Amino acid sequence: MAPAATHPGTSAAVREPLHTTPAAPLDAVVVGAGFGGLYMVHRLREAGLTVQGIEAAGDVGGTWWWNRYPGARCDIPSLLYSYTFSDELQAEWRWSEKYATQPEILAYAQHVADRFDLRPHFLFETRVTSAVFDETAKLWRVKTDRGDEIAARFCVMATGCLSAPRDFDLPGADTFEGETYVTGLWPHDPIDFTGKRVAVIGTGSSAVQSTPLIAEQADQVYVFQRTPNYSLPALNAPLSDEEVAGFRANFPAYVELLRSGQPPLPIPPADYVPSDEELNALVEQLWNGWGLISAVQIPNIVRDERCNQAAGDFVRAKIARIVKDPALAEKLTPRSFPIMTKRACVDTGWYETFNRDNVELVDLRETPITAITPTGVRTTERDYPVDVIVSALGFDAMTGALLRMDIRGRGGLSLKDAWAEGPKTYLGLAVAGFPNLFTVTGPGSPSVLTNVLTAAEQHVDWIMDAIAHVRTTNAATLEATTDAQEDWVAHVNEEADKTLFPRAASWYMGANIPGKPRVFMPYVGEGYKLHCDAVAAEGYAGFALGS
Ligand code: N01
């Protein structure tokens, strides 16, 4: 049997279960101590409200607490992957690299928790099992796997978009007798691959980041690829004092743009049609080191065939130049979906890794996996005996963390049933039938298509205003109306249909999880913050206040 090596855990906390009674409810429960949950708890505390945070991990950090695989880094620049709510925090934290490593990002989350004294307001190593709306008391009743029973007026799900890792669930996986590691649940102690034969299954960002480092240690690495991905070079480097000073000088203007709902980076207008020369120059920048940011500078890259094709062709040509064996280069070349319709990877040495003698690509389009065996991976062609399997199969994205809890609103309606055909929200912030429940970066909001950290800040600020509105109007509840939700879902779909996104079998579409409804989950339209602000300014249009 494979060892239970996938759950790092820390020693179980010994504590008495927490019980709050409906007679003395808390103001809020916040689920999750990632960047959204930390800021939510901070804002609630600052407003003088009582709050209990709950987190399954052993400490703060969310995805950065769990994803400790070698090479894990952010894929947008660290300077932007930072909170904007505190000038002091911004001024005192110094990122060391253009793209920070997982340990540094985790240290940042820990620093935030210390600086704003947030840890005492969380229960760690505690998983929410159910959250049920009590219609009589107009309270959320939240239960955990540690026996806690908490009553609170508001329930905020800050559970993250990529926080429910897919199990290593290929046929025969539990028969494997070697070591198995899931990238999204990586152990805390470093894994030594020296002298080992390793199978990496999957070629998304997690595999793209980890494989080059695993290959430096291991004897042999087999990479099992179902669909080749587009990857852009990180060109990672230490951040100079000049770069940091430049960012700090510009920080107030950057924050001003964010707060005013404008894109914080210059994005070409939707009606801009570049000449061939301009397009070629923009496409060249994909290899100049700004990765995903360079990609979104290409006008309408996810809307216009010509612009998309130019960018895709450029990356395909680069792969052909980097990978020495032309047949292998072709296998690594993405052709089946438009660039950026799955999140592109940002790598350090991904394509170069395939020039190594100890790395072999197994193309699953030619020879699919038939089983995991006690000794390795079996395809239709042959057995690959290995000592270690690294499962990089991704996440049940955007809805997985929410649906793994039993969330029930009015009339006992379960979120699972309400979302049986795909997630339905109003603004990605609220769900009809679930009063006083908010989702931070929920489906139906831009979340994963933008800087998810500043997206979480925007949501938390909006939720705080909404909670204040309920309190100042002496209402009991705020609830999205079904009509407003249906209109919003239709608008989200309409915007997605104007793009090339639906052409890819991506996790944005739920396509990576067997049986999951295929719906484009994030909001890809423009002016999202302005829309949220207008809803609030119009007295929470599309919401009903309950007494
Ligand atoms: O997961 P993925 P990920 N047999 O879903 C393959 C963020 N992230 O963890 O494409 C064989 O992208 C699947 O193949 P296919 C980032 O937003 C960020 O790598 O479905 N293979 C694919 O190759 C990212 O987009 C960073 O055909 C199977 C892979 O598994 C998101 O998280 C780092 C299979 C899954 O790739 C997810 O990335 C890491 C099967 N049965 C992650 N089923 C940063 O840089 C699936 N696959 C910040």
Side-chain angles (χ1 to χ4, degrees):
M1 281 292 290
T6 54
H7 194 296
T10 50
S11 63
V14 178
R15 63 172 177 83
E16 291 298 315
L18 181 69
H19 286 266
T20 63
T21 65
L26 300 176
D27 290 311
V29 161
V30 174
V31 185
F35 285 116
L38 284 176
Y39 181 47
M40 190 76 236
V41 167
H42 172 59
R43 287 291 318 268
L44 287 161
R45 295 284 309 157
E46 223 182 22
L49 303 188
T50 52
V51 54
Q52 183 60 63
I54 303 175
E55 167 59 58
D59 196 9
V60 300
T63 198
W64 301 105
W65 197 86
W66 298 99
N67 284 266
R68 296 167 185 251
Y69 60 81
R73 291 176 186 276
C74 50
D75 59 2
I76 60 164
S78 324
L79 288 168
L80 303 179
Y81 198 71
S82 306
Y83 283 119
T84 60
F85 71 88
S86 162
D87 290 348
E88 296 75 23
L89 173 64
Q90 185 277 137
E92 73 200 13
W93 184 264
R94 168 65 160 91
W95 293 108
S96 66
E97 289 179 272
K98 178 176 160 189
Y99 295 106
T101 58
Q102 173 271 330
E104 191 170 1
I105 303 171
L106 184 60
Y108 176 68
Q110 291 166 336
H111 171 72
V112 171
D114 289 340
R115 193 186 193 291
F116 299 100
D117 195 25
L118 301 176
R119 280 199 185 85
H121 309 296
F122 277 94
L123 300 172
F124 292 104
E125 296 185 312
T126 302
R127 200 171 273 281
V128 170
T129 50
S130 67
V132 177
F133 187 65
D134 176 337
E135 286 185 73
T136 310
K138 299 196 168 40
L139 296 173
W140 281 93
R141 312 280 289 263
V142 176
K143 292 188 181 173
T144 76
D145 62 354
R146 299 232 173 229
D148 308 297
E149 296 191 12
I150 301 164
R153 282 190 75 190
F154 298 96
C155 183
V156 182
M157 294 296 179
T159 43
C161 298
L162 293 157
S163 48
R166 181 168 158 195
D167 291 335
F168 180 44
D169 58 2
L170 301 190
D174 58 350
T175 68
F176 182 58
E177 289 170 354
E179 301 161 58
T180 305
Y181 303 106
V182 174
T183 47
L185 295 169
W186 201 261
H188 283 209
D189 294 328
I191 309 299
D192 186 1
F193 292 97
T194 309
K196 304 252 169 84
R197 297 162 302 170
V198 183
V200 177
I201 307 183
T203 51
S205 295
S206 304
V208 164
Q209 288 186 329
S210 57
T211 303
L213 293 173
I214 293 171
E216 282 176 15
Q217 282 187 347
D219 254 19
Q220 177 68 39
V221 178
Y222 300 106
V223 178
F224 292 83
Q225 169 187 273
R226 197 165 66 171
T227 312
N229 231 323
Y230 297 90
S231 191
L232 307 172
L235 301 189
N236 192 37
L239 274 175
S240 69
D241 287 343
E242 291 70 34
E243 286 169 304
V244 173
F247 179 78
R248 286 180 177 163
N250 194 42
F251 186 72
Y254 164 66
V255 173
E256 180 53 34
L257 279 175
L258 278 174
R259 300 287 181 269
S260 67
Q262 303 305 313
L265 300 165
I267 305 279
D271 57 359
Y272 178 65
V273 180
S275 67
D276 285 349
E277 291 70 36
E278 283 170 307
L279 186 55
N280 288 341
L282 286 164
V283 160
E284 284 282 338
Q285 288 176 22
L286 288 175
W287 236 251
N288 289 346
W290 290 105
L292 298 175
I293 290 180
S294 300
V296 297
Q297 302 301 306
I298 296 171
N300 290 316
I301 186 166
V302 290
R303 294 166 197 274
D304 181 277
E305 296 268 8
R306 173 176 155 262
C307 295
N308 188 282
Q309 183 81 26
D313 285 349
F314 181 82
V315 175
R316 285 185 275 271
K318 285 290 180 189
I319 297 169
R321 242 168 278 158
I322 298 170
V323 180
K324 290 182 184 147
D325 172 349
L328 179 56
E330 181 51 33
K331 286 182 182 184
L332 284 161
T333 299
R335 298 191 187 279
S336 61
F337 62 98
I339 187 169
M340 294 295 281
T341 56
K342 285 184 174 183
R343 192 178 175 99
C345 307
V346 178
D347 73 275
T348 300
W350 166 245
Y351 295 117
E352 291 82 350
T353 290
F354 291 92
N355 292 330
R356 296 178 66 107
D357 291 337
N358 68 335
V359 176
E360 184 177 331
L361 184 78
V362 182
D363 188 341
L364 301 180
R365 292 168 301 181
E366 292 171 359
T367 57
I369 293 175
T370 53
I372 305 300
T373 69
T375 55
V377 182
R378 177 170 298 158
T379 68
T380 48
E381 184 190 43
R382 56 165 277 209
D383 277 355
Y384 293 86
V386 291
D387 307 299
V388 181
I389 294 178
V390 172
S391 173
L393 296 178
F395 298 84
D396 185 353
M398 307 199 70
T399 56
L402 292 164
L403 296 180
R404 287 179 185 188
M405 295 174 278
D406 183 17
I407 301 176
R408 288 178 186 270
R410 282 191 194 284
L413 174 68
S414 78
L415 192 64
K416 208 171 262 171
D417 288 342
W419 286 6
E421 290 162 13
K424 291 182 179 164
T425 71
Y426 182 34
L427 303 173
L429 278 159
V431 186
F434 296 78
N436 288 357
L437 179 89
F438 297 103
T439 49
V440 176
T441 62
S445 74
S447 63
V448 291
L449 298 180
T450 173
N451 178 350
V452 78
L453 204 151
T454 49
E457 273 186 315
Q458 184 247 326
H459 268 193
V460 168
D461 290 339
W462 192 95
I463 292 167
M464 280 307 296
D465 290 345
I467 289 175
H469 181 70
V470 178
R471 289 163 59 85
T472 52
T473 53
N474 287 323
T477 54
L478 183 75
E479 179 182 350
T481 65
T482 307
D483 283 353
Q485 178 168 285
E486 278 179 8
D487 287 351
W488 183 252
V489 170
H491 178 57
V492 170
N493 291 332
E494 207 174 79
E495 290 297 319
D497 288 342
K498 291 182 198 162
T499 73
L500 307 174
F501 278 110
R503 289 205 207 160
S506 66
W507 57 257
Y508 297 141
M509 295 284 299
N512 64 323
I513 298 295
K516 191 165 172 169
R518 291 218 179 180
V519 176
F520 188 75
M521 294 182 283
Y523 176 63
V524 71
E526 292 177 340
Y528 172 77
K529 181 176 188 293
L530 299 176
H531 196 88
C532 294
D533 291 350
V535 165
E538 288 160 22
Y540 293 86
F543 284 89
L545 285 171
S547 52

PDB file of all heavy atoms in Angstrom, residues 377-390:
ATOM      1  N   VAL A 377       3.488   2.778 -13.265  1.00  0.00           N
ATOM      2  CA  VAL A 377       2.406   3.250 -14.130  1.00  0.00           C
ATOM      3  C   VAL A 377       2.366   2.366 -15.376  1.00  0.00           C
ATOM      4  O   VAL A 377       3.398   2.122 -16.004  1.00  0.00           O
ATOM      5  CB  VAL A 377       2.644   4.727 -14.543  1.00  0.00           C
ATOM      6  CG1 VAL A 377       1.495   5.234 -15.407  1.00  0.00           C
ATOM      7  CG2 VAL A 377       2.831   5.613 -13.315  1.00  0.00           C
ATOM      8  N   ARG A 378       1.173   1.905 -15.717  1.00  0.00           N
ATOM      9  CA  ARG A 378       1.009   1.076 -16.908  1.00  0.00           C
ATOM     10  C   ARG A 378       0.240   1.874 -17.961  1.00  0.00           C
ATOM     11  O   ARG A 378      -0.803   2.450 -17.667  1.00  0.00           O
ATOM     12  CB  ARG A 378       0.241  -0.197 -16.563  1.00  0.00           C
ATOM     13  CG  ARG A 378      -0.043  -1.110 -17.748  1.00  0.00           C
ATOM     14  CD  ARG A 378      -0.587  -2.447 -17.288  1.00  0.00           C
ATOM     15  NE  ARG A 378       0.376  -3.140 -16.451  1.00  0.00           N
ATOM     16  CZ  ARG A 378       0.068  -4.098 -15.561  1.00  0.00           C
ATOM     17  NH1 ARG A 378      -1.186  -4.468 -15.408  1.00  0.00           N
ATOM     18  NH2 ARG A 378       1.018  -4.678 -14.839  1.00  0.00           N
ATOM     19  N   THR A 379       0.810   1.887 -19.169  1.00  0.00           N
ATOM     20  CA  THR A 379       0.081   2.490 -20.291  1.00  0.00           C
ATOM     21  C   THR A 379      -0.298   1.380 -21.267  1.00  0.00           C
ATOM     22  O   THR A 379       0.067   0.214 -21.061  1.00  0.00           O
ATOM     23  CB  THR A 379       0.940   3.532 -21.036  1.00  0.00           C
ATOM     24  OG1 THR A 379       2.008   2.839 -21.700  1.00  0.00           O
ATOM     25  CG2 THR A 379       1.499   4.579 -20.097  1.00  0.00           C
ATOM     26  N   THR A 380      -1.002   1.773 -22.331  1.00  0.00           N
ATOM     27  CA  THR A 380      -1.376   0.763 -23.327  1.00  0.00           C
ATOM     28  C   THR A 380      -0.133   0.166 -23.992  1.00  0.00           C
ATOM     29  O   THR A 380      -0.209  -0.889 -24.607  1.00  0.00           O
ATOM     30  CB  THR A 380      -2.256   1.410 -24.417  1.00  0.00           C
ATOM     31  OG1 THR A 380      -1.626   2.618 -24.840  1.00  0.00           O
ATOM     32  CG2 THR A 380      -3.642   1.706 -23.897  1.00  0.00           C
ATOM     33  N   GLU A 381       1.021   0.835 -23.817  1.00  0.00           N
ATOM     34  CA  GLU A 381       2.227   0.350 -24.498  1.00  0.00           C
ATOM     35  C   GLU A 381       3.135  -0.482 -23.595  1.00  0.00           C
ATOM     36  O   GLU A 381       3.680  -1.504 -23.989  1.00  0.00           O
ATOM     37  CB  GLU A 381       3.005   1.550 -25.037  1.00  0.00           C
ATOM     38  CG  GLU A 381       4.216   1.173 -25.839  1.00  0.00           C
ATOM     39  CD  GLU A 381       5.085   2.391 -26.135  1.00  0.00           C
ATOM     40  OE1 GLU A 381       5.277   3.213 -25.209  1.00  0.00           O
ATOM     41  OE2 GLU A 381       5.555   2.518 -27.256  1.00  0.00           O
ATOM     42  N   ARG A 382       3.328  -0.012 -22.329  1.00  0.00           N
ATOM     43  CA  ARG A 382       4.312  -0.695 -21.468  1.00  0.00           C
ATOM     44  C   ARG A 382       4.138  -0.280 -20.013  1.00  0.00           C
ATOM     45  O   ARG A 382       3.340   0.607 -19.691  1.00  0.00           O
ATOM     46  CB  ARG A 382       5.738  -0.380 -21.923  1.00  0.00           C
ATOM     47  CG  ARG A 382       6.076   1.084 -21.993  1.00  0.00           C
ATOM     48  CD  ARG A 382       7.574   1.344 -22.092  1.00  0.00           C
ATOM     49  NE  ARG A 382       8.196   1.318 -20.768  1.00  0.00           N
ATOM     50  CZ  ARG A 382       9.289   2.016 -20.431  1.00  0.00           C
ATOM     51  NH1 ARG A 382       9.892   2.766 -21.338  1.00  0.00           N
ATOM     52  NH2 ARG A 382       9.787   1.965 -19.226  1.00  0.00           N
ATOM     53  N   ASP A 383       4.899  -0.942 -19.152  1.00  0.00           N
ATOM     54  CA  ASP A 383       4.942  -0.573 -17.728  1.00  0.00           C
ATOM     55  C   ASP A 383       6.114   0.373 -17.487  1.00  0.00           C
ATOM     56  O   ASP A 383       7.195   0.185 -18.065  1.00  0.00           O
ATOM     57  CB  ASP A 383       5.143  -1.828 -16.867  1.00  0.00           C
ATOM     58  CG  ASP A 383       3.830  -2.547 -16.617  1.00  0.00           C
ATOM     59  OD1 ASP A 383       2.777  -2.023 -17.034  1.00  0.00           O
ATOM     60  OD2 ASP A 383       3.864  -3.637 -16.019  1.00  0.00           O
ATOM     61  N   TYR A 384       5.900   1.360 -16.634  1.00  0.00           N
ATOM     62  CA  TYR A 384       6.984   2.262 -16.204  1.00  0.00           C
ATOM     63  C   TYR A 384       7.202   2.035 -14.713  1.00  0.00           C
ATOM     64  O   TYR A 384       6.447   2.566 -13.891  1.00  0.00           O
ATOM     65  CB  TYR A 384       6.594   3.733 -16.455  1.00  0.00           C
ATOM     66  CG  TYR A 384       6.493   4.074 -17.918  1.00  0.00           C
ATOM     67  CD1 TYR A 384       5.315   3.846 -18.620  1.00  0.00           C
ATOM     68  CD2 TYR A 384       7.581   4.608 -18.613  1.00  0.00           C
ATOM     69  CE1 TYR A 384       5.215   4.131 -19.973  1.00  0.00           C
ATOM     70  CE2 TYR A 384       7.485   4.908 -19.970  1.00  0.00           C
ATOM     71  CZ  TYR A 384       6.297   4.668 -20.644  1.00  0.00           C
ATOM     72  OH  TYR A 384       6.210   4.950 -21.992  1.00  0.00           O
ATOM     73  N   PRO A 385       8.200   1.227 -14.339  1.00  0.00           N
ATOM     74  CA  PRO A 385       8.429   0.993 -12.912  1.00  0.00           C
ATOM     75  C   PRO A 385       9.025   2.230 -12.251  1.00  0.00           C
ATOM     76  O   PRO A 385       9.978   2.822 -12.784  1.00  0.00           O
ATOM     77  CB  PRO A 385       9.430  -0.173 -12.896  1.00  0.00           C
ATOM     78  CG  PRO A 385       9.997  -0.257 -14.266  1.00  0.00           C
ATOM     79  CD  PRO A 385       9.122   0.509 -15.210  1.00  0.00           C
ATOM     80  N   VAL A 386       8.438   2.670 -11.141  1.00  0.00           N
ATOM     81  CA  VAL A 386       8.941   3.870 -10.457  1.00  0.00           C
ATOM     82  C   VAL A 386       8.922   3.668  -8.937  1.00  0.00           C
ATOM     83  O   VAL A 386       8.209   2.801  -8.420  1.00  0.00           O
ATOM     84  CB  VAL A 386       8.105   5.137 -10.801  1.00  0.00           C
ATOM     85  CG1 VAL A 386       8.297   5.551 -12.244  1.00  0.00           C
ATOM     86  CG2 VAL A 386       6.632   4.961 -10.489  1.00  0.00           C
ATOM     87  N   ASP A 387       9.714   4.508  -8.259  1.00  0.00           N
ATOM     88  CA  ASP A 387       9.735   4.490  -6.789  1.00  0.00           C
ATOM     89  C   ASP A 387       8.761   5.511  -6.215  1.00  0.00           C
ATOM     90  O   ASP A 387       8.279   5.355  -5.097  1.00  0.00           O
ATOM     91  CB  ASP A 387      11.153   4.836  -6.290  1.00  0.00           C
ATOM     92  CG  ASP A 387      12.206   3.957  -6.927  1.00  0.00           C
ATOM     93  OD1 ASP A 387      12.138   2.734  -6.724  1.00  0.00           O
ATOM     94  OD2 ASP A 387      13.071   4.487  -7.668  1.00  0.00           O
ATOM     95  N   VAL A 388       8.544   6.596  -6.980  1.00  0.00           N
ATOM     96  CA  VAL A 388       7.731   7.711  -6.477  1.00  0.00           C
ATOM     97  C   VAL A 388       6.740   8.139  -7.558  1.00  0.00           C
ATOM     98  O   VAL A 388       7.118   8.226  -8.734  1.00  0.00           O
ATOM     99  CB  VAL A 388       8.623   8.939  -6.138  1.00  0.00           C
ATOM    100  CG1 VAL A 388       7.785  10.082  -5.587  1.00  0.00           C
ATOM    101  CG2 VAL A 388       9.736   8.569  -5.176  1.00  0.00           C
ATOM    102  N   ILE A 389       5.503   8.421  -7.145  1.00  0.00           N
ATOM    103  CA  ILE A 389       4.546   9.053  -8.072  1.00  0.00           C
ATOM    104  C   ILE A 389       4.204  10.433  -7.526  1.00  0.00           C
ATOM    105  O   ILE A 389       3.827  10.579  -6.350  1.00  0.00           O
ATOM    106  CB  ILE A 389       3.265   8.212  -8.235  1.00  0.00           C
ATOM    107  CG1 ILE A 389       3.595   6.889  -8.921  1.00  0.00           C
ATOM    108  CG2 ILE A 389       2.216   8.986  -9.046  1.00  0.00           C
ATOM    109  CD1 ILE A 389       2.398   5.957  -9.097  1.00  0.00           C
ATOM    110  N   VAL A 390       4.370  11.446  -8.370  1.00  0.00           N
ATOM    111  CA  VAL A 390       3.935  12.803  -8.032  1.00  0.00           C
ATOM    112  C   VAL A 390       2.648  13.039  -8.808  1.00  0.00           C
ATOM    113  O   VAL A 390       2.649  13.057 -10.038  1.00  0.00           O
ATOM    114  CB  VAL A 390       5.005  13.845  -8.408  1.00  0.00           C
ATOM    115  CG1 VAL A 390       4.463  15.259  -8.229  1.00  0.00           C
ATOM    116  CG2 VAL A 390       6.267  13.641  -7.566  1.00  0.00           C
TER     117      VAL A 390
END
